[in-house]
Amino acid sequence: IPLRLVGSEMCIRDRSISKSKRSSAVSERQKNLLFKAAQRHWEEEFVGKEANIRKVDCRIYKAILYQLEIRQIFLDTSLSLKKLSDLLETNQTYLSNVVNKYFGCNLKELVNGYRVEYAKELLSFGRCALNDLPRSCGFASKSAFYSAFSKVAGVSPLSYQSRERRKRELQVIHELRYY
């Protein structure tokens, strides 16, 4: 299950920092917040419940979350087990085992889950044309995108977009009635 940070946890404290320093300061702050949240989640979910937990598993688990949540590597159309294991400086077997054991799926399913959630955000707010969506969300092909989206969301991207548009319209109508 993806761990999402809320906006208040990602705010910038000091506006006087230069743009490059601000970017690295935010990234470092986000990384620290994510690692603390991931550590708490790790301790609640896994520590004491399983006999063969290795310290390296927790490090890899947090590194995966950092790469997905903060760095958004799921947007890379060429992301693979090899590429991610190189990035995390671990071997493919360890990485695969951590994903399978602690995320409850394989790497492809995990990455596609993030890609689809990102696509849903873009669709909900009309930030991307449907034709551009697969590439914008990290999918190498339209067929892979449509297949993954339908599997994760339970509906096609077009149906999802229509449903979200109707929700927004109903919300506006509701707000107009009560104001």
Side-chain angles (χ1 to χ4, degrees):
I1 298 172
L3 178 66
R4 292 301 242 188
L5 297 177
V6 294
S8 64
E9 292 175 316
M10 293 189 262
C11 68
I12 300 170
R13 291 185 319 214
D14 188 356
R15 293 186 183 269
S16 65
I17 299 173
S18 71
K19 188 171 182 166
S20 63
K21 286 184 179 179
R22 182 184 319 151
S23 177
S24 65
V26 171
S27 181
E28 198 57 36
R29 177 171 157 59
Q30 289 174 331
K31 183 177 181 179
N32 290 335
L33 286 169
L34 177 74
F35 277 19
K36 285 178 186 175
Q39 184 68 40
R40 278 193 308 274
H41 183 259
W42 178 267
E43 289 169 3
E44 291 169 5
E45 291 295 316
F46 307 117
V47 174
K49 296 180 181 177
E50 301 210 18
N52 59 344
I53 293 180
R54 302 171 302 182
K55 284 186 179 183
V56 70
D57 288 357
C58 183
R59 183 191 65 77
I60 294 169
Y61 176 83
K62 291 191 290 187
I64 293 167
L65 286 174
Y66 172 72
Q67 292 298 327
L68 291 169
E69 293 287 337
I70 307 299
R71 303 285 311 277
Q72 295 186 322
I73 59 162
F74 58 88
L75 297 176
D76 179 354
T77 58
S78 65
L79 184 62
S80 66
L81 184 64
K82 168 103 175 84
K83 193 170 189 175
L84 185 56
S85 66
D86 289 346
L87 190 63
L88 300 182
E89 299 177 350
T90 190
N91 68 50
Q92 293 179 47
T93 303
Y94 274 21
L95 175 59
S96 182
N97 287 339
V98 168
V99 171
N100 294 336
K101 186 173 184 177
Y102 301 107
F103 290 93
C105 59
N106 63 42
L107 183 64
K108 181 181 176 183
E109 292 168 334
L110 180 63
V111 170
N112 282 349
Y114 272 87
R115 288 172 174 164
V116 169
E117 289 304 316
Y118 187 72
K120 287 166 58 177
E121 288 177 27
L122 295 177
L123 283 170
S124 293
F125 299 103
R127 293 186 188 146
C128 189
L130 201 52
N131 281 346
D132 300 330
L133 208 51
R135 182 81 48 194
S136 298
C137 297
F139 288 95
S141 72
K142 287 183 181 185
S143 62
F145 167 69
Y146 281 95
S147 176
F149 193 97
S150 296
K151 183 177 179 182
V152 172
V155 295
S156 72
L158 187 58
S159 296
Y160 182 85
Q161 186 180 41
S162 298
R163 186 176 69 197
E164 290 301 305
R165 187 178 300 124
R166 280 195 303 276
K167 279 184 191 177
R168 282 194 314 276
E169 290 167 355
L170 289 173
Q171 185 178 8
V172 168
I173 291 169
H174 177 77
E175 289 173 0
L176 290 173
R177 284 185 181 164
Y178 294 102
Y179 288 111

